[in-house]
Amino acid sequence: MKKPVIVVGSDHAAFGMKEFIKELVEGWGYTVEDAGTYSRESVDYPDYAEKVAVAVAGSRHKRGILGCGTGVGASIAANKIPGALAALVHSPRIARLSVEHDNANILVLAGRPYRKKEVEKIVKAWLGSKFQGGRHLRRVKKIKAIERKYR
Ligand code: RB5
């Protein structure tokens, strides 16, 4: 199967982690689109969450990796975009389940602080997992229905 394009984005608080992830996944053969930010200068995480989520929701061939200090603000903002299924993850196990059960198309990570080895394990688990469908599809469809109902 063709590798998805990975859209990465972060605010200043997760800039270092975003740069690390970019190099990591490029090293694994993925094409990366960098939605910013491009320095440690203070910015607002919703701007980058929006960019990543719009890119991912608009394409079946893209998946997103997003960061802010805690990961909380970025995940809340990303999930405002219809079609975004952004999961704030802190372990490789939850990374795997966020795809297998929830079909998460955006992985959100806390960048302050982050540990390279742990981030690597989480990203690897997330990219290596597949949505299982079945009863989980029924549930994800219900999320989409909620989205349509309140649009
Ligand atoms: C920025 O200082 C910080 O508030 C932001 O990165 C994030 O943690 C918000 O959820």
Side-chain angles (χ1 to χ4, degrees):
M1 216 181 72
K2 202 167 173 279
K3 280 180 159 42
V5 170
I6 309 299
V7 187
V8 297
S10 75
D11 70 356
H12 56 287
F15 171 73
M17 181 181 70
K18 190 253 293 171
E19 294 299 297
F20 169 69
I21 291 170
K22 203 161 78 175
E23 258 188 45
L24 186 71
V25 298
E26 276 173 350
W28 293 340
Y30 289 88
T31 300
V32 172
E33 260 177 44
D34 188 347
T37 187
Y38 305 111
S39 77
R40 291 179 200 279
E41 192 182 323
S42 183
V43 291
D44 300 330
Y45 61 81
D47 298 333
Y48 301 92
E50 182 183 4
K51 282 182 211 271
V52 171
V54 165
V56 169
S59 166
R60 292 166 59 105
H61 304 291
K62 292 183 181 177
R63 297 178 73 184
I65 303 180
L66 191 54
C68 67
T70 58
V72 175
S75 55
I76 291 172
N79 279 316
K80 298 296 178 195
I81 303 299
L85 294 167
L88 174 56
V89 164
H90 288 103
S91 74
R93 175 174 172 271
I94 303 298
R96 174 174 61 76
L97 291 172
S98 77
V99 178
E100 289 182 355
H101 290 192
D102 310 308
N103 204 16
N105 53 12
I106 301 174
L107 171 68
V108 190
L109 297 169
R112 206 186 249 166
Y114 77 98
R115 287 189 297 137
K116 287 185 176 175
K117 261 285 154 228
E118 193 60 11
V119 166
E120 179 172 346
K121 282 188 204 158
I122 291 172
V123 173
K124 188 176 229 166
W126 191 72
L127 289 174
S129 301
K130 275 187 69 179
F131 182 49
Q132 286 180 347
R135 68 185 189 283
H136 305 298
L137 178 60
R138 182 180 72 240
R139 293 161 186 165
V140 172
K141 280 184 173 169
K142 287 193 177 187
I143 297 175
K144 305 275 176 202
I146 294 170
E147 205 171 72
R148 283 194 299 274
K149 190 169 164 189
Y150 293 97
R151 198 174 273 191

